[in-house]
Each structure stands twice: as structure tokens, then as C-alpha cells.
Amino acid sequence: MNSMCLNSVIEKIFAGTWIAGPSIEDAISEAHKFNAVKINGIINYLGEEFNKIKNVDNAVEIYIAVIKEIRKKHINSDISVKPTQLGILINEKVFEDNYLKLLHFAKKYNVFIWLDMENAKYVNSTIKAYLNGLNTKNSGICIQAYLKRSIKDIKKIVARQGIIRLVKGAYVENKRISYNSWDKTTENYKRLLLYLFKNSDNFTIATHDLQIIKYAEDLNEKYNKTINFAMLKGIKNRRLMALAKKYSAYVYIPFGTAWLQYSIRRLREAGHLKLILKSLLEDQSIEKYKNGA
Ligand SMILES: Cc1cc2nc3c(=O)[nH]c(=O)nc-3n(C[C@H](O)[C@H](O)[C@H](O)COP(=O)(O)OP(=O)(O)OC[C@H]3O[C@@H](n4cnc5c(N)ncnc54)[C@H](O)[C@@H]3O)c2cc1C
């Protein structure tokens, strides 16, 4: 098999499980399927680390088209954007201007917009842009539990009534600034989550870690909040459907052709071949389980 052919085989496998497909229509149609089982979408256009303004402008246009399609097709879906798609590599102002432009556009269409969190070097500027756009009240920001600074960031954002999507963190970071083991990251995730339960009225628990999900459900017995769970498409779809029966649930739906970097992060998280094969081969179809079968 030549490398181009191998590439397209791998792409097909990922496209079917972790990624909706290359086009906006693929993302919308995937969100529509999840909506039928009471799961809201979070649509993300694949691609990152853009250092050419034409790629940045193109990403902004694509998100505008996605927002319009969400409304036109009556889809329940947020969008999630990456600072490095919106121009942070060119300069902070380009990023922030693009983010605020999308935020105001999304507001007009009643669409919620998330800021993904990327490498630690972008955290300050990402939070700054987020706080500068808070007045529209249709935005949330991802915070990574593996970063030691995150408790401070969460306190600052929650004090301004910002909305947090808590994740473990998907990039490779320096040991000085991050918890470098699964145990410590998980422990910090729980600590941050407890803070959110005590101090925030609206936050999203974005994880596939079943012990964290159980911990959150237990905390909710005591704090009785409106909690949201979110997972990535194709990892534990059936588990998410079960959560959607009790809580509000979201699935992160990437689409586009730049699938490689996203897929490498997912492969790294799965850790070993057994889990990768399990998530790829396990029946992730949602239609079949619509009626709880
Ligand atoms: C909705 C959502 C949005 C996210 N946004 C961001 C973001 O903006 N920035 C960021 O840095 N990270 C983001 N992430 C990724 C996140 O940081 C983690 O890297 C990822 O969710 C894996 O961590 P976990 O909490 O699921 O726990 P883990 O302990 O890694 O995983 C828990 C269990 O889930 C299963 N599992 C996890 N991943 C896989 C996989 N790929 N294949 C097969 N099984 C798997 C395994 O059974 C594992 O034991 C997001 C995650 C979600 C769910």
C-alpha cells in the first residue's frame, strides 16, 4: 500500500469515529443525529497553528457559515474555536478581533461559542480575550486541570460570572508548570470541580473518566446544580447517551480535512493499542440506541 493510500484509509477510520467528515454539512448532520438522542453539539473546525492570514480569514468565514447553518437547520449546537485558528500566531490583536467578531455574530444567531485552550503559552491571551468578550453572555472557556495555575484562573473567571468547561488537558507541557502524572491531574481535576460546584452556577464537566463522572454526580446530590457533561465524539458515545437521560449533555464534533494533529492527541490519550482499537471498533453508533435499547 503506498503512503497516499494508507493516508486515506486512516482518514476514513478516524472520520467515521472521531471526526464528522470534511464538510460543514457533515458536522451539521452529525449534530442532528446526536440531537435526536438529546445530546447537543459543540462543532469545531479542524486546523490549528495557522500563521498565514489567509488561513485565519478562511477559518473565520467557515465558523460564520457554521453558525448560519446551525440556525437555518434548527440544530442544538455550540461552536468551539481555537486561538491558533483565529490568528494568535500572527499577533494577539488579530486573534482577539476575530474572536470578538465571531462572538458578536454568534450572539445575533443565538449560538454559544467556546474558546478551546491550547498550549500553555497561549493561556494568558486566551483568558484575556474571553474576559473582554464576556458582556455578550454567550461564551465559555476551556480550562485544563493539568496546569498548576488553573485554580487561580478559575477563581478569576468565576468571579466575573464566566462559564468554564473543565478538561484534563491534551498538550505536552513542561513539568514546572503542569502536573505530570495522570493521578495528580485527576486529583487536581476533582479539586477544581469541587470549587466549581461551590462557586459557579454554570459549568461543563468535559471528560470520559468514569470516576470523575461518578464524583460529579455525587457532588451534585449535595449541591444540586444544573450540570453539563461533555465528551468527544466517538470515545464513549453510549455512556454520554446514558448521561443525557439525567443531565444536559454535549458532544464535541470536529470536522474538516486537517485531522492529523487532532487524531494524534486522541491516540496519545488512548495510551495503548487496546484502547485505541476498542474505541475504533466499539459500536459508537447513536441511532441504534435512540430508544435506550
Ligand atoms: C468536550 C471536550 C472538549 C475538550 N477541549 C479541550 C481543549 O480545549 N483543550 C485541551 O487541552 N483539551 C481538551 N479536551 C481533551 C481533554 O483535555 C483530555 O485530553 C481528554 O478528554 C482525555 O482526558 P479524560 O478526561 O477523558 O480522561 P482520561 O483519563 O484520559 O481518559 C478516561 C478514560 O477514557 C478513555 N479514553 C480517553 N481518551 C480515549 C481515546 N482517545 N480513545 C479511547 N479511549 C479513550 C479511556 O478509557 C480512559 O481510561 C477536551 C475534551 C472534551 C471531552
Side-chain angles (χ1 to χ4, degrees):
M1 197 183 286
N2 67 32
S3 68
M4 250 172 72
C5 185
L6 180 65
N7 229 24
S8 87
V9 170
I10 295 173
E11 188 177 351
K12 278 211 174 71
I13 294 172
F14 290 137
T17 49
W18 296 346
I19 293 161
S23 68
I24 296 178
E25 291 69 43
D26 294 323
I28 294 290
S29 126
E30 197 65 21
H32 183 68
K33 286 185 206 154
F34 276 100
N35 283 179
V37 289
K38 294 195 168 54
I39 297 173
N40 305 294
I42 302 177
I43 295 178
N44 167 259
Y45 169 55
L46 288 165
E48 47 202 83
E49 302 282 327
F50 294 156
N51 53 16
K52 292 200 180 76
I53 198 73
K54 78 170 196 306
N55 293 339
V56 170
D57 290 346
N58 183 47
V60 172
E61 286 314 309
I62 286 178
Y63 279 121
I64 285 177
V66 172
I67 292 167
K68 285 184 179 164
E69 279 304 292
I70 288 175
R71 248 335 111 247
K72 190 168 148 206
K73 303 268 168 61
H74 308 288
I75 298 294
N76 292 321
S77 185
D78 304 344
I79 62 166
S80 204
V81 302
K82 287 194 181 350
T84 69
Q85 328 185 279
L86 300 189
I88 207 167
L89 260 59
I90 294 163
N91 67 53
E92 264 184 42
K93 184 166 172 0
V94 171
F95 156 58
E96 192 165 324
D97 288 353
N98 279 326
Y99 168 63
L100 295 177
K101 174 177 167 185
L102 279 177
L103 186 63
H104 286 97
F105 190 82
K107 174 77 180 174
K108 261 202 332 210
Y109 282 75
N110 202 19
V111 169
F112 192 90
I113 169 164
W114 288 101
L115 265 172
D116 276 11
M117 193 60 80
E118 300 180 81
N119 289 111
K121 60 182 175 224
Y122 307 124
V123 175
N124 283 339
S125 339
T126 306
I127 293 178
K128 178 172 162 281
Y130 177 66
L131 293 176
N132 285 342
L134 257 186
N135 58 340
T136 58
K137 297 196 184 324
N138 61 322
S139 62
I141 184 168
C142 176
I143 293 290
Q144 299 153 325
Y146 66 11
L147 291 185
K148 294 180 183 167
R149 60 176 285 170
S150 287
I151 184 68
K152 276 199 197 140
D153 293 335
I154 286 188
K155 284 183 180 169
K156 185 156 105 185
I157 295 164
V158 167
R160 301 266 313 267
Q161 267 85 52
I163 297 176
I164 291 188
R165 176 176 89 209
L166 188 60
V167 303
K168 284 191 183 172
Y171 298 81
V172 179
E173 297 297 353
N174 190 298
K175 289 180 188 165
R176 231 176 356 92
I177 58 163
S178 65
Y179 297 105
N180 58 329
S181 74
W182 185 88
D183 282 352
K184 285 189 183 147
T185 300
T186 303
E187 194 184 303
N188 196 44
Y189 193 111
K190 289 183 174 172
R191 189 161 75 101
L192 300 176
L193 194 55
L194 181 60
Y195 183 86
L196 289 171
F197 268 100
K198 286 183 178 169
N199 297 286
S200 168
D201 287 327
N202 189 357
F203 54 93
T204 293
I205 303 148
T207 185
H208 316 96
D209 186 333
L210 302 184
Q211 3 146 12
I212 291 181
I213 292 169
K214 168 83 175 58
Y215 178 69
E217 290 190 281
D218 290 347
L219 284 178
N220 202 41
E221 297 280 311
K222 179 168 172 196
Y223 292 99
N224 199 19
K225 299 268 159 131
T226 313
I227 50 173
N228 311 296
F229 283 101
M231 291 190 186
L232 304 175
K233 169 180 149 56
I235 312 276
K236 291 189 195 284
N237 286 358
R238 292 177 65 181
R239 180 73 208 188
L240 188 60
M241 274 188 282
L243 285 169
K245 294 197 171 127
K246 280 175 82 180
Y247 309 98
S248 75
Y250 290 79
V251 65
Y252 187 97
I253 305 172
F255 78 96
T257 52
W259 52 273
L260 191 62
Q261 280 158 305
Y262 181 83
S263 301
I264 287 173
R265 284 198 292 277
R266 302 293 80 83
L267 288 169
R268 202 186 301 122
E269 281 151 16
H272 49 83
L273 195 61
K274 201 170 132 207
L275 271 182
I276 297 166
L277 289 177
K278 200 165 161 241
S279 89
L280 290 177
L281 299 176
E282 208 174 70
D283 192 349
Q284 299 280 358
S285 63
I286 45 177
E287 289 88 350
K288 220 165 142 178
Y289 301 101
K290 259 186 199 165
N291 302 314

